[in-house]
Amino acid sequence: MFDSHIIVVDLGFGDAGKGATVDWLCSADAGLDVAAVVRFNGGAQAAHNVIAQGRHHMFAQFGSGTFAGVPTLLSRHMLVEPIALAGESRQLAALGVPDPLSLLRIDGRALLTTPIHIAANRAREDARGSSRHGSCGRGIGETAAHALDHDAPTVADCLRPKVLRDKLRALAAHYGSLVAPSAHGYEPIDDLVDMYREFAAAVAIVGGDQLARFARRGRLVFEGAQGVLLDEWRGFHPHTTWSTVEPRNAHALLAEIGATAAVLGVTRTYLTRHGAGPFPTEDHAVDVPEPHNTTGRYQGAFRLGHLDLLLLRYAITVAGGIDGLSVTHLDAPGTRYAATKYRTDNGTVDHLEPGTWQDLDHQQRLTDLLTTAHPVLTEMPDDVIPWLAQALDTPVVLTANGPTRAHRTAIEACAAAA
């Protein structure tokens, strides 16, 4: 599968190791001649940990191939937050990346996440109290929701100060009743316009032909954010993200240039979840060190549990199938079990039935099922790779027994039938 363009997706609730996987794919160790990393969903809420050449960074909007000198294209499906992007650029420069912004291309059609969206997001989550959805508090949902029915700010508007000012004023008026009584605020509109004007002068804002230009130079690696189980239409409503996480948008971008890609699904050897929502195999006895994952004010606690074959098979199905698996955290202690069935009030369940796309009633029913399900666990064998390949009917093509490039091993063929 490494002979084509590659789409990297997380098969869980996020934090499976997408960033480190993309870093390896872009490195000289892989030898794949990657021309660009393309971000196809999410925004500044991403936290893709990469440790390479003695440097550590949590990639948010820059692609995780940056340490390898690979450019990033933020596609039109990204939600771009310029203030956070400028901060990330400074962090990368401090780590020795020369002129990070020169590695960046941003599609002008991408939506702009502003401090107004962020204030509204946090005010809304505060108002939910104990019924919080598990938001990151970074304005992602508000950006996507507002754009459904309004002429929302885009990255290209940063080149048109008058247009941007009018849109920001309308945005502030829209959220006025929500933000005003809250503890959250934002800078004056004119200050935001000036800041975005500086941003537009510092980055390359491009059109829809940029993807084809990169593709003519070499391989594309599409880096997803979050996990398929959090997908806006396929995740377990309402504890989802306002983002299409499964690779639909990446395939659509490739189709526009007459290309296809292999899909690489990433999973840990156990399951994690950040914040609220169903998690059938959660087990407080699972004790795995997580130096880069902590409790977030809006997300909530970082939760751990056993591998769940039902959820993995569900994620693979709703992602349209995958061509290979990247299995990470093989060095992690703490759990050797996997769920193969659930016990429920209505009997034993051995699979989750996907509904039709955009059927939130079906997703709510799945949430209700998972919330009360009791997992039936089986002990995994010591040699977990062929077992997992067979259980998921998918070849394992990459493994990781640690956080760096040196800990990754490409597998020529670990067939599902092994």
Side-chain angles (χ1 to χ4, degrees), residues 176-197:
S177 61
L178 175 64
V179 173
S182 78
H184 307 286
Y186 46 85
E187 298 86 342
I189 299 298
D190 286 343
D191 290 352
L192 290 176
V193 172
D194 289 343
M195 182 172 52
Y196 289 139
R197 184 184 298 172

Side-chain angles (χ1 to χ4, degrees), residues 269-271 281 283 286 305-309 334-340 376-380 387:
T269 54
Y270 54 101
L271 200 60
T281 61
D283 187 340
V286 175
H306 305 287
L307 198 69
D308 190 325
L309 294 182
T335 176
R336 291 182 55 191
Y337 296 91
T340 57
V376 177
L377 300 176
T378 187
E379 187 171 6
M380 295 186 289
W387 178 85

Side-chain angles (χ1 to χ4, degrees), residues 9 32 46 64 73 79 85-86 93 153 171 204 266 269 283 353 379 383 408 412-413:
V9 293
L32 298 181
S64 294
L73 172 61
L79 310 180
L85 192 59
L171 187 67
V266 185
T269 54
D283 187 340
E353 193 68 41
E379 187 171 6
D383 191 1
R408 278 165 169 73
E412 186 67 28

Side-chain angles (χ1 to χ4, degrees), residues 29 38 52 59 86 105 173 218 266 279 282 286 316 358-359 375-376 382 398:
D29 296 1
V38 183
F59 286 93
R105 305 290 184 274
V266 185
F279 188 174
E282 182 175 17
V286 175
I316 290 170
Q358 297 186 326
D359 183 354
V376 177
D382 291 335
L398 186 64

